[in-house]
Amino acid sequence: MLHNDRRDDALGELARFRHELYGCLTARADALFELCDAVLCADGPVTSLVELSLAAEHRRGHGALYDGVNQGQVDVDRLRNVVVSQSIPRCFGGRIVLGIDVSNWLRPDAVTSPDRLFCHTYARGKGKAQMIPGWPYSFVAVLERGRTSWTAILDARRVGPDDEGTAVAAAQLRVVVEQLIAAGHWKDGDPRIWIVGDSGYDGPRLVFLLADLPVDLLVRLRSDRVLAFPPPPRGPATVGRTLRHGEDFTFSKPWSWPEPAHETTTETSRYGTAVARSWYRLHPRLTRRGEWAGHEGDLPIIEGTVIRLQVDRLPGDGAPTPLWLWFSGTGTDAEMVDQVWQMFLRRFDLEHTFRFLKQTLGWTKPRLRTPATADRWTWLLIAACTQLRLTRSVVEDLRRPWEKTPTTPDRLTPARVRRGFRNTRPATTLPASAPKPSRPGPGRPPGSRNTRKAPHHNPGKNTKTDTTAKDPKKQTG
C-alpha cells in the first residue's frame, strides 16, 4: 500500500509538471510538447531531428516538427520557475549543492549561424586541444551525494559574443539561487548553498558579486598560483602605509606552507588513501585588470580556505597529482573540509549529464541555424531531463537479455529510465490536442532559385574591453 501511494505521488508530481510545461509553450505548443515526448520515448539514441516525427508519440508530420522548433515560443522565465519548483536532491545535512559548467555545441561549418564563439575542445593526446566555432552553453545543476550519473538541471544560458564568462555565471547563479529561495527550497537557518566550479571561474570575483546571497563558493585552482596570508598585527609605534597582504603561500614551494589548520585522511575505494590539508584566510592579490579594471576604491580582500588533496591513485594509468581547491568559507572544521573536497568530486557528474544530453537525447544533432532555435531546443531537453528525474522512482526497468540482473530504481541511470518512460507516459496527463488535417503549402515553384542568400557570420567576440587600469599607480590592490 505504501509503495502504491508513493507511486501515485510521483505520477501526480509528473502530471503537474507536464501540465505546467504545456502552459510554458506559448506558440506551437502541441508540436513542441509532442516533440519533447518523442525525445523521451524514441527507441534508442536520438540521431536525427526529423526521425522523431516517425515516433508514435509525435502525431504530426515532419513539417509541423520543424515549424514548432523554428517558429514556436517557450517562456523561459516561467519554465525555469517550474523546473526549480520541483523536488531537488540534498547533500550533507540537507545542504543544496549547485554545480556550474560550460558545454559546447560545436558548429564549425555553420557559416550562416550568428553568435558563434571559438570553443575550447580537448582531443586525444597531450597538447592536442583545439578551438572550434560553436555555441557555448553555461549549465547550472543540483548535485547529488555519492557516485551517480544524475544531476538536476535548473538553468542553461548561451554565452554570446558580447558576454564575459564570470559575469554570465554570476547573473545565472543569482537568478537560480533567488528562485530556489522563492520556491521554498532554502529558508533562514538552513545550511548555506554551495556552488562548485572548475578552474575556469574566478572564485573571488564570484564571491564579490554574490556577497548578498547565502552561498559559499568552491573552485579548483591551478598548481602555479600564489596566494597571501593576512598581514601581521600592526604595532603601536609602526609608521607608514598599512600592509594589505602578509606572507606568500606558493603552491609549488612547500617550504612556504605553514602547518595546516587541519589534516584528514580518508580511505576510498576508487582513489585509495586521500589526504586533505587545509589553510585558513588565504586571499589572492587582486590587480586592476580584467573585471577589476573599473572597480572604484580599494580592491577588496577576499579570504578563503585553501585545500590540498593528495590521493594514492587515479582511474586508469594517470599519475596522481595534488588537487588545489579554494573555498570561500573561512571557519571550516575537519569534517567540513572532507565534505568540501568530496562535493568537488561530484562536480564531474555534470560530465555524465552532458554526455547523456549529446549522445542519447541528441542535443547537438540538429543542424539549427539561429541561436534562438538552439535555445528553444535546449530548454525542451531540460524539460525532458526533469521528467526523467520525476519518473526515476516509479519506472520499471526494461532489461535487455544481455544485461545484468534488473537494477533497483535508486540505481537506474537516466538512459535506463528513459527506456521505460514510454510505458509510464499513458498513466500521466497528455495535454496536447489531436492534430487537425491539413495539406502542405506549395513551397518554392519548380525550377526557381533562391535569390536571398543567408548572410555569413564570422565567429568570435564582437567587442573588446579595456582590461587594464589607465592609472599605473592603481595597478595593485
Side-chain angles (χ1 to χ4, degrees):
M1 183 65 180
L2 181 61
H3 176 73
N4 293 335
D5 293 341
R6 190 176 304 171
R7 175 182 175 83
D8 293 341
D9 293 341
L11 291 177
E13 187 176 4
L14 175 63
R16 287 190 296 271
F17 175 81
R18 289 170 61 85
H19 180 75
E20 294 174 350
L21 169 63
Y22 185 79
C24 298
L25 310 177
T26 57
R28 309 297 197 277
D30 295 333
L32 289 176
F33 190 88
E34 291 190 353
L35 174 59
C36 185
D37 275 1
V39 171
L40 290 170
C41 300
D43 189 13
V46 176
T47 58
S48 171
L49 186 63
V50 69
E51 291 287 341
L52 295 175
S53 64
L54 302 179
E57 291 74 16
H58 193 278
R59 298 174 293 178
R60 290 159 174 81
H62 63 277
L65 183 146
Y66 278 107
D67 186 56
V69 173
N70 294 322
Q71 303 299 327
Q73 294 294 331
V74 179
D75 190 341
V76 173
D77 295 334
R78 182 179 175 183
L79 181 55
R80 186 189 300 109
N81 284 327
V82 174
V83 172
V84 171
S85 62
Q86 307 304 313
S87 58
I88 59 175
R90 305 287 181 132
C91 294
F92 304 100
R95 188 187 302 274
I96 299 175
V97 181
L98 301 178
I100 182 169
D101 203 354
V102 174
S103 184
N104 302 317
W105 185 338
L106 302 181
R107 301 299 310 278
D109 300 328
V111 295
T112 60
S113 297
D115 295 349
R116 292 182 303 157
L117 298 178
F118 287 104
C119 304
H120 183 272
T121 58
Y122 291 97
R124 294 184 180 274
K126 186 177 181 180
K128 299 296 184 180
Q130 299 178 356
M131 302 297 291
I132 300 178
W135 290 319
Y137 277 83
S138 176
F139 287 85
V140 176
V142 182
L143 305 180
E144 295 188 7
R145 181 179 178 181
R147 293 171 57 185
T148 178
S149 56
W150 286 93
T151 62
I153 304 178
L154 301 184
D155 188 44
R157 183 174 300 187
R158 179 174 45 83
V159 182
D162 299 322
D163 296 331
E164 198 282 327
T166 304
V168 170
Q172 189 179 17
L173 289 169
R174 176 173 294 276
V175 170
V176 171
V177 172
E178 290 177 349
Q179 290 183 343
L180 286 172
I181 297 175
H185 293 302
W186 188 92
K187 58 182 181 298
D188 292 337
D190 290 347
R192 293 171 65 87
I193 299 173
W194 286 358
I195 299 173
V196 184
D198 206 359
S199 59
Y201 294 97
D202 188 349
R205 180 65 180 177
L206 285 176
V207 171
F208 177 78
L209 296 176
L210 304 175
D212 58 324
L213 297 177
V215 299
D216 289 325
L217 197 77
L218 173 64
V219 295
R220 181 170 63 93
L221 298 180
R222 300 190 309 270
S223 59
D224 59 350
R225 292 292 300 270
V226 179
L227 302 184
F229 284 100
R234 185 180 177 89
T238 305
V239 295
R241 183 181 179 183
T242 303
L243 296 178
R244 291 173 55 84
H245 312 290
E247 297 293 334
D248 285 344
F249 184 94
T250 306
F251 290 2
S252 59
K253 298 178 180 179
W255 57 85
S256 67
W257 310 344
E259 287 295 323
H262 295 287
E263 181 174 346
T264 62
T265 302
T266 306
E267 296 294 334
T268 65
S269 59
R270 186 174 178 84
Y271 304 102
T273 303
V275 179
R277 298 180 181 180
S278 61
W279 294 267
Y280 292 161
R281 301 191 62 188
L282 281 165
H283 64 271
R285 297 173 182 264
L286 301 180
T287 59
R288 295 186 184 274
R289 300 176 182 272
E291 292 189 333
W292 298 104
H295 184 80
E296 298 180 359
D298 294 335
L299 293 174
I301 299 295
I302 304 175
E303 297 180 343
T305 301
V306 169
I307 301 173
R308 181 183 185 271
L309 179 65
Q310 180 70 58
V311 298
D312 287 340
R313 60 179 183 273
L314 294 176
D317 298 330
T321 57
L323 180 68
W324 292 93
L325 305 175
W326 186 84
F327 182 59
S328 61
T330 56
T332 57
D333 53 13
E335 181 181 1
M336 183 171 289
V337 168
D338 280 341
Q339 295 177 2
V340 166
W341 69 259
Q342 290 175 25
M343 287 314 306
F344 180 82
L345 298 183
R346 300 279 60 80
R347 189 200 67 82
F348 295 99
D349 294 340
L350 279 172
E351 301 299 332
H352 297 286
T353 300
F354 296 152
R355 187 180 299 110
F356 176 70
L357 284 173
K358 293 180 179 180
Q359 297 182 1
T360 303
L361 299 186
W363 175 42
T364 58
K365 294 298 182 181
R367 298 181 179 180
L368 307 177
R369 173 177 293 183
T370 63
T373 307
D375 296 345
R376 194 174 303 121
W377 170 247
T378 300
W379 273 100
L380 279 183
L381 295 191
I382 293 177
C385 291
T386 305
Q387 294 185 63
L388 292 178
R389 183 165 55 87
L390 297 177
T391 321
R392 177 181 176 183
S393 60
V394 298
V395 71
E396 183 179 355
D397 183 25
L398 300 181
R399 183 179 62 88
R400 298 288 193 258
W402 55 85
E403 294 176 343
K404 295 182 179 180
T405 57
T407 308
T408 57
D410 59 322
R411 298 298 301 170
L412 289 177
T413 63
R416 295 279 282 265
V417 173
R418 175 177 176 263
R419 187 187 300 171
F421 185 85
R422 176 182 296 177
N423 296 336
T424 306
R425 178 177 174 270
T428 184
T429 181
L430 304 174
S433 59
K436 299 179 180 179
S438 62
R439 293 184 299 176
R444 185 183 303 165
S448 63
R449 302 182 64 181
N450 183 17
T451 58
R452 299 177 58 183
K453 295 184 178 180
H456 289 200
H457 303 272
N458 294 324
K461 290 287 187 179
N462 290 338
T463 59
K464 295 183 179 180
T465 57
D466 185 11
T467 59
T468 59
K470 297 181 179 180
D471 188 357
K473 298 180 179 180
K474 298 182 179 180
Q475 287 292 318
T476 61

